[in-house]
Amino acid sequence: MKNLLPLLLLIFHFQLGAQEKLPNFVIIFCDDLGYGDLSSFGNPTIQTPNLDRMAMEGQKWTQFYVADPVCTPSRAGLMTGRYPIRNGMSSAKRVVLFPDSAGGLPESEVTIAEVLKQKGYATAAIGKWHLGHLPQYLPTNQGFDSYFGIPYSNDMDYIGGMEPRYIDLADDPDAMPEIKYYNVPLMENEKIVERPADQTTITRRYSQRAVDYIKANKDHPFFLYLAHNLPHIPLFASPDFKDKSKRGLFGDVLQEIDNGVGQILQTIRDLDLEEQTIVLFTSDNGPWLVFKTHGGSAGPLRAGKGTTFEGGQRVPTIFWGPGQVKPGLITDMGSTLDVINTFAALSGAKVPDDRKMDGYDLSPVLQGNGKSPRESFYYWTRAELHAVRSGPWKLHIQQREPVNYGNKVELEHPELYNLESDISEKYDRSAAHPEIVEKLMKVYKAHLADTEDAMPDMLEARIKE
Ligand code: MG
């Protein structure tokens, strides 16, 4: 037996060696960060040197979409590669999950973490989850080995302080809520460890946790999902960052997030993992414009969060990975729906084949040897299919007012925009191109028919008193 030991160690070593070749994945997901909030996407006053460097060294994607313009369904789309209408995470009754919600992402759904588990990845979720805060819906029951974070939005569990709840904030650029108004829990796996969570240090603590996680898992493949609670309102920054940005508190918050991105990328470099790690930085939806200067900016895009205009669903996106991602500006279409297929392709894992998937493998674009297979995109919100994009053309069939959670607008006729020549959706071309309207109406109807087997609404149910 003794003689076999060196041989066994050798085999073990080679197995480890093979495993090491699998790429690590990190997703840094912001909340309500708009298309116009990064300097690499044109913001003139928010200083984000680390994200700027990340964009220079990696790929900047300018036509990248989230699956829905609000938190819960957007995250469901990212995690599963399925439009949230398919898994009960898009609702006509309740826009997102709340602290009294009884539901969450169904356990039968397969997340990115569960897909990567096929290949033995270590997995961790840090930050905002918002796919169910009851034990059966938490990240630790959806493929993640560990969880640390506020399980839903940082403005929930409101217990008073500003009346009316938000108006002061929207109308006073200097208004600042106190942490104690929002009795949100901070969780370590399934346990609450702090309440209310100290939100002034939350961004710093999330980034530190991410750095610690990467160091602790450097010797085997890992998937780290870091979902910042900010810059969702209310905004908080730690003393080192407060009052530092020309943009005000929103800028302070973003500069603190940027600092964390710098620490994470530097840790990856220091550990010599940069050749085998891919980092994706993006946002869950567009800026929350009703909060005026407290909210972000959609830059040249129309409207923001909660709407199916571009400002609601097109998000600033950077892929980085010196050994994995060929630097460049990418104007092909992509979506958070594509992340699961892309990471599966790069790791040799399989996405589910027993259900309808909406994602594409973007790895040929990342590696610089192909075009994006994504040619179309469907704009869902509140369980309504509003619009469809095919190539440069976007057809709006339904709309709501271009503000967060706006009322329905009756369109006299479908509106057609060419997003490549008219990024701001200003010039309706439907009268000039009836043949394109007709073609996109068919695409719209076909997709509606394809989602008729959608799961029932999982956002509506409330915990019984
Ligand atoms: Mg959001």
Side-chain angles (χ1 to χ4, degrees):
M1 188 63 200
K2 246 186 179 175
N3 293 345
L4 278 176
L5 195 62
L7 185 64
L8 286 172
L9 280 174
L10 197 68
I11 291 168
F12 186 60
H13 175 80
F14 276 112
Q15 278 190 331
L16 268 184
Q19 257 198 357
E20 276 168 11
K21 290 203 179 76
L22 291 175
N24 306 306
F25 301 110
V26 179
I27 298 176
I28 305 174
F29 207 51
C30 285
D31 197 348
D32 297 1
L33 174 76
Y35 193 79
D37 288 322
L38 299 185
S39 66
S40 50
F41 281 76
N43 190 285
T45 50
I46 302 175
Q47 294 192 310
T48 52
N50 297 295
L51 286 160
D52 294 352
R53 180 178 170 188
M54 185 180 172
M56 287 295 289
E57 293 178 354
Q59 289 186 356
K60 183 173 106 168
W61 285 63
T62 59
Q63 305 206 65
F64 199 86
Y65 291 99
V66 286
D68 192 286
V70 290
C71 296
T72 295
S74 168
R75 285 151 209 269
L78 167 70
M79 275 297 137
T80 65
R82 281 151 57 81
Y83 282 105
I85 190 72
R86 298 201 194 280
N87 46 38
M89 291 284 99
S90 186
S91 167
K93 306 223 171 62
R94 278 194 128 181
V95 181
V96 296
L97 290 163
F98 289 87
D100 68 347
S101 292
L105 183 70
E107 289 173 271
S108 57
E109 288 296 300
V110 178
T111 66
I112 299 174
E114 286 166 330
V115 161
L116 293 175
K117 275 289 170 197
Q118 294 164 23
K119 291 286 170 181
Y121 275 67
T123 56
I126 297 171
K128 175 170 173 173
W129 177 239
H130 217 180
L131 292 172
H133 68 287
L134 300 180
Q136 66 270 36
Y137 299 119
L138 284 171
T140 44
N141 205 32
Q142 294 281 20
F144 290 96
D145 302 329
S146 64
Y147 174 56
F148 175 77
I150 299 172
Y152 35 71
S153 296
N154 64 328
D155 66 336
M156 292 181 172
D157 293 322
Y158 181 70
I159 53 174
M162 298 184 104
E163 295 299 342
R165 181 173 176 183
Y166 280 131
I167 299 301
D168 308 357
L169 258 186
D171 287 339
D172 179 357
D174 299 318
M176 238 288 252
E178 291 183 44
I179 291 163
K180 64 183 182 191
Y181 301 163
Y182 307 92
N183 194 34
V184 289
L186 179 65
M187 302 187 78
E188 178 96 55
N189 299 319
E190 297 89 18
K191 285 202 175 63
I192 294 173
V193 292
E194 187 177 304
R195 191 167 199 167
D198 179 355
Q199 295 201 45
T200 55
T201 58
I202 201 70
T203 298
R204 190 184 73 207
R205 286 190 282 168
Y206 285 168
S207 295
Q208 186 59 49
R209 282 267 176 159
V211 165
D212 293 345
Y213 181 81
I214 294 167
K215 285 181 181 167
N217 289 276
K218 65 183 170 54
D219 294 327
H220 48 248
F222 62 82
F223 167 47
L224 170 61
Y225 174 51
L226 165 57
H228 282 292
N229 275 92
L230 297 166
H232 187 288
I233 284 154
L235 302 172
F236 298 98
S238 68
D240 287 350
F241 290 88
K242 198 160 173 293
D243 301 323
K244 293 291 192 308
S245 170
K246 287 182 180 173
R247 171 66 172 79
L249 186 54
F250 185 91
D252 297 339
V253 167
L254 208 48
Q255 290 179 190
E256 185 158 21
I257 288 173
D258 175 76
N259 184 268
V261 170
Q263 289 174 33
I264 290 164
L265 298 193
Q266 193 54 46
T267 301
I268 291 168
R269 290 187 199 99
D270 290 346
L271 297 172
D272 290 327
L273 295 176
E274 73 266 35
E275 294 292 317
Q276 63 192 79
T277 304
I278 292 179
V279 183
L280 162 63
F281 178 93
T282 190
S283 176
D284 71 330
N285 51 250
W288 209 352
L289 297 177
V290 287
F291 288 105
K292 300 179 183 171
T293 56
H294 290 275
S297 162
L301 306 180
R302 185 169 169 184
K305 172 178 177 172
T307 81
T308 48
F309 293 104
E310 293 295 293
Q313 293 196 246
R314 197 192 291 206
V315 285
T317 301
I318 303 167
F319 281 93
W320 178 92
Q324 305 279 333
V325 177
K326 191 180 174 203
L329 172 70
I330 306 299
T331 60
D332 289 3
M333 230 190 290
S335 169
T336 50
L337 291 163
D338 304 329
V339 174
I340 193 169
N341 288 57
T342 305
F343 288 3
L346 289 166
S347 64
K350 297 260 180 297
V351 295
D353 58 6
D354 61 347
R355 61 198 74 198
K356 288 172 183 165
M357 300 290 288
D358 297 300
Y360 294 94
D361 171 15
L362 303 179
S363 64
V365 190
L366 296 184
Q367 292 163 343
N369 53 27
K371 289 196 72 64
S372 171
R374 178 170 286 284
E375 294 284 332
S376 60
F377 186 78
Y378 302 100
Y379 299 74
W380 283 93
T381 192
R382 305 177 85 175
E384 298 164 356
L385 180 58
H386 280 196
V388 53
R389 176 173 180 176
S390 177
W393 295 101
K394 177 176 178 183
L395 188 72
H396 289 256
I397 290 99
Q398 294 190 62
Q399 270 177 14
R400 285 176 179 265
E401 291 168 334
V403 292
N404 190 35
Y405 315 140
N407 295 318
K408 269 193 182 181
V409 173
E410 288 304 320
L411 292 179
E412 285 174 24
H413 57 80
E415 293 175 1
L416 181 70
Y417 299 98
N418 184 321
L419 294 175
E420 292 183 350
S421 58
D422 174 22
I423 190 174
S424 305
E425 296 169 275
K426 271 186 183 164
Y427 310 109
D428 176 14
R429 304 290 292 147
S430 60
H433 295 288
E435 75 290 353
I436 296 173
V437 172
E438 194 182 333
K439 186 183 138 214
L440 288 190
M441 276 305 294
K442 281 188 187 146
V443 175
Y444 176 91
K445 283 176 185 160
H447 182 65
L448 266 189
D450 184 49
T451 51
E452 272 173 1
D453 55 353
M455 246 183 236
D457 184 344
M458 297 285 292
L459 298 186
E460 193 190 348
R462 299 182 194 210
I463 298 167
K464 299 270 185 295
E465 291 293 307

